[in-house]
Amino acid sequence: MKLFSDKGNGQGSLSPEELKSTLKSIISTFEDVYIILDALDECTDRHRFLGLIKEIQGWNFDTLHLLATSREEHDIEKTLRDLVSHQVSMDEGLVDSDIRRYVSRKLEDDNKLSKYSAEKKETIKTTLIDGAHGMFRWVVCQLDALRTCRSPYELRKTLTNLPKTLYETYDRILLDIDESNREYALKLLQWLAFSVDTVSLSQAVEVLATDPDAKTGPLFDPERRFDDPWDILTLCSSLVSVTTVPEDTLWYHEYFKDDQERFTTLRLAHFSVREYLVSECLRTHSKLSIYHCDEKVANTFIAKTCVAYLLQFDQHCISQDCISHPLWSYAAEYWIRHAQPDNDDNLTLRRLIMGFLQPDSGAYSNWLDLYPRNCYPEKRAPIHYMAEAGLAIVSRDLLENGVDANAQSGKYGNALQVASSEGHHPIVELLLERGADVNAQGGEYGNALQAASSKGNHAIVELLLEKQADVNVQGGKYGNALRAASSEGHYLIVQQLLEK
């Protein structure tokens, strides 16, 4: 409860150290604690997570029992080798037994597969088990292909020409996409591969109805919406699956109780699909490289789509107007995150963001006023948001268009303090070049030097001192920069400040 109250009754976020300390306290209160980590190999930040596992094991709780499942990956085996007391290998024979049971059940229960004779079913079973080599996912994809067979001839041909690997299976799925659907399929796969939140079927419809690169006509056009949202599932067949989400887990469930598409989420059908989409073999494929999902390209596409979608709300809106549009909440929350410091060099994205951030922009005003889970509770000048996000090129565009580098607003007082706190050195340099007052007062930390000192941003502290930041000025959260650095244990910065 103390941690809850310290963080503004749950409004503030916890640092990694606070989360680890909380976990440690929880473990210590129980006689036995069991932590299960399923599919460790699918962790997107595996190096850090493996380090965390080693750290938790180092707490030496005799009551802690840790179970992890994973494919055989060298880095995982190497890191955990000395920590493992028991290891169970999934023998291919055991997996084959499970595969046989799975295939048998599908052949009996699936209305497209149950039509076959006992002899053909046995042929299907034998062929799939022999080709699986323990890969459950491979079998699932082949069964999906067999469901489309319309004659004994097609069945025999499909069984005779089964792909040998999972990636070859995915190649065939992409090759089968009709040329008229390729752009839709690419957009959907990029979004699903790099979305930071669940994607509902109705949101996917909005994504495909938005064209941020449109030279003429509206960026979002309701006429582009699929008449039947479920047709989206036909774009990539076995690469995408659907899940129904309990309605009461979504904040807007009261508004749309009868809208099934809002409570049906799309996702890539398996982690191996994402691995395939970002793989080098797809990037260099002679026919399928267009489907390769590069992280920067995908995030830029998602950011452009989000901003283009928000721009349609250019008149004053009430909350109900915005949330009635399925993609609004995702776009409002995550457009800055997808823009990322490395992505704002895209000309179209810059143009869209600049249009969104204009002083007379109704879309920007609605975003400030109506975003229901607003991460930015205090209204700030656009330059402050860009400084916090680290979008240096957009920040430069704003300043070149007459935005005041010393504009005061919000929690941090000015953009220089925001950038100094967040560690965005290029933006600190930019603001100082454009006339930002290095000793401007106000905001949570009182001034930029105290903000940088408290966060341990050595290079920024050095830059601010070079620009004549006053070490002894009083005010802010810690009183002065020296106290800020001392309180947070940044001893090198303490030394920097004392030398001044």
Side-chain angles (χ1 to χ4, degrees):
M1 289 301 294
K2 183 179 184 303
L3 188 60
F4 182 78
S5 60
D6 288 346
K7 293 295 179 179
N9 292 328
Q11 296 302 307
S13 58
L14 297 177
S15 68
E17 291 304 317
E18 288 172 323
L19 288 169
K20 284 188 283 189
S21 177
T22 302
L23 177 60
K24 195 171 184 179
S25 298
I26 292 172
I27 293 173
S28 66
T29 61
F30 291 91
E31 290 185 6
D32 283 290
V33 175
Y34 297 86
I35 298 178
I36 299 175
L37 306 171
D38 187 31
L40 189 57
D41 54 294
E42 297 183 13
C43 178
T44 54
D45 194 354
R46 208 151 73 194
H47 177 72
R48 288 182 60 194
F49 194 65
L50 290 172
L52 176 61
I53 292 175
K54 291 184 70 173
E55 183 177 346
I56 292 173
Q57 287 285 82
W59 294 345
N60 294 321
F61 283 110
D62 294 333
T63 57
L64 176 60
H65 311 277
L66 197 61
L67 171 66
T69 68
S70 172
R71 289 177 295 179
E72 293 182 347
E73 298 284 355
H74 176 71
D75 60 327
I76 295 176
E77 291 185 288
K78 182 179 179 181
T79 302
L80 301 184
R81 185 179 298 132
D82 296 333
L83 305 178
V84 174
S85 59
H86 296 84
Q87 183 171 339
V88 178
S89 179
M90 291 296 290
D91 180 79
E92 190 174 303
L94 293 174
V95 178
D96 284 347
S97 178
D98 285 342
I99 289 174
R100 178 175 288 277
R101 283 193 290 270
Y102 173 76
V103 173
S104 296
R105 175 57 64 88
K106 292 292 286 186
L107 290 173
E108 295 303 321
D109 295 347
D110 190 289
N111 62 349
K112 291 289 184 76
L113 299 172
S114 60
K115 63 184 179 184
Y116 294 117
S117 66
E119 182 182 356
K120 284 188 171 63
K121 288 179 180 177
E122 189 58 36
T123 301
I124 292 172
K125 244 187 291 190
T126 302
T127 305
L128 293 185
I129 292 169
D130 288 346
H133 303 297
M135 291 187 292
F136 230 110
R137 173 67 184 154
W138 181 88
V139 172
V140 172
C141 291
Q142 308 323 316
L143 285 171
D144 285 344
L146 292 173
R147 293 182 78 253
T148 67
C149 294
R150 296 163 295 187
S151 67
Y153 170 79
E154 288 187 359
L155 175 65
R156 185 169 61 254
K157 183 179 178 182
T158 301
L159 288 173
T160 303
N161 296 286
L162 290 176
K164 291 181 171 56
T165 67
L166 197 52
Y167 277 16
E168 187 181 336
T169 301
Y170 294 156
D171 285 347
R172 291 193 186 185
I173 292 171
L174 292 182
L175 285 168
D176 284 342
I177 296 174
D178 188 86
E179 186 175 355
S180 63
N181 288 328
R182 286 177 187 170
E183 184 179 354
Y184 286 141
L186 176 58
K187 287 181 176 183
L188 182 63
L189 292 172
Q190 284 182 318
W191 198 287
L192 293 178
F194 289 97
S195 170
V196 295
D197 202 352
T198 56
V199 180
S200 72
L201 188 56
S202 56
Q203 286 176 327
V205 170
E206 303 295 276
V207 169
L208 300 184
T210 306
D211 182 5
D213 298 305
K215 298 295 188 293
T216 59
L219 301 177
F220 171 79
D221 187 352
E223 291 292 312
R224 297 195 199 105
R225 286 174 172 153
F226 281 28
D227 292 331
D228 183 354
W230 295 89
D231 283 344
I232 285 179
L233 300 180
T234 66
L235 294 176
C236 312
S237 63
S238 300
L239 300 181
V240 175
S241 62
V242 297
T243 306
T244 301
V245 179
E247 293 183 9
D248 58 2
T249 63
L250 300 173
W251 63 269
Y252 51 74
H253 75 278
E254 286 293 333
Y255 296 100
F256 306 104
K257 289 183 177 180
D258 299 323
D259 189 349
Q260 185 183 3
E261 286 77 24
R262 284 184 181 257
F263 305 106
T264 300
T265 61
L266 296 179
R267 60 184 177 86
L268 296 178
H270 191 261
F271 184 71
S272 61
V273 176
R274 190 181 191 280
E275 289 182 320
Y276 167 75
L277 292 173
V278 302
S279 68
E280 183 67 12
C281 66
L282 183 58
R283 189 186 70 82
T284 57
H285 196 289
S286 60
K287 296 180 179 178
L288 298 173
S289 59
I290 60 167
Y291 293 108
H292 177 257
C293 292
D294 174 80
E295 183 174 6
K296 179 175 180 177
V297 172
N299 275 305
T300 299
F301 158 67
I302 297 174
K304 289 192 301 182
T305 303
C306 286
V307 179
Y309 193 82
L310 292 173
L311 281 168
Q312 69 177 296
F313 303 97
D314 57 353
Q315 303 297 320
H316 175 71
C317 297
I318 60 173
S319 180
Q320 184 71 18
D321 293 334
C322 291
I323 63 174
S324 66
H325 289 72
L327 194 60
W328 191 86
S329 59
Y330 185 98
E333 182 167 1
Y334 296 120
W335 73 269
I336 288 181
R337 183 164 173 178
H338 285 292
Q340 297 186 352
D342 291 337
N343 299 336
D344 66 339
D345 58 349
N346 181 275
L347 289 175
T348 301
L349 179 58
R350 287 168 59 190
R351 175 177 55 78
L352 290 169
I353 293 176
M354 286 298 292
F356 180 70
L357 297 179
Q358 290 304 305
D360 59 350
S361 168
Y364 178 66
S365 178
N366 286 321
W367 179 65
L368 290 180
D369 291 339
L370 300 177
Y371 175 35
R373 296 192 320 202
N374 208 326
C375 300
Y376 311 101
E378 65 293 315
K379 294 183 181 180
R380 291 178 280 169
I383 187 67
H384 291 202
Y385 290 114
M386 298 302 96
E388 183 173 34
L391 301 182
I393 297 177
V394 176
S395 296
R396 185 191 66 198
D397 291 343
L398 287 170
L399 293 168
E400 288 180 350
N401 278 272
V403 168
D404 183 1
N406 291 301
Q408 295 285 315
S409 68
K411 174 182 177 182
Y412 293 100
N414 56 68
L416 184 62
Q417 190 176 141
V418 177
S420 299
S421 174
E422 297 299 321
H424 298 310
H425 194 279
I427 296 182
V428 172
E429 283 187 309
L430 174 67
L431 290 165
L432 291 171
E433 288 171 4
R434 298 306 174 98
D437 182 355
V438 72
N439 289 308
Q441 300 298 297
E444 180 174 354
Y445 296 102
N447 56 67
L449 183 61
Q450 187 180 140
S453 299
S454 71
K455 297 297 182 69
N457 296 324
H458 298 266
I460 292 177
V461 168
E462 184 176 353
L463 175 61
L464 293 172
L465 291 174
E466 287 176 1
K467 298 296 183 179
Q468 307 305 311
D470 188 344
V471 175
N472 297 309
V473 69
Q474 300 295 305
K477 181 177 179 179
Y478 294 92
N480 57 55
L482 184 60
R483 285 183 182 174
S486 301
S487 297
E488 298 300 330
H490 302 309
Y491 303 119
L492 291 178
I493 291 180
V494 170
Q495 186 175 0
Q496 279 181 288
L497 296 171
L498 289 173
E499 287 174 355
K500 289 291 180 177

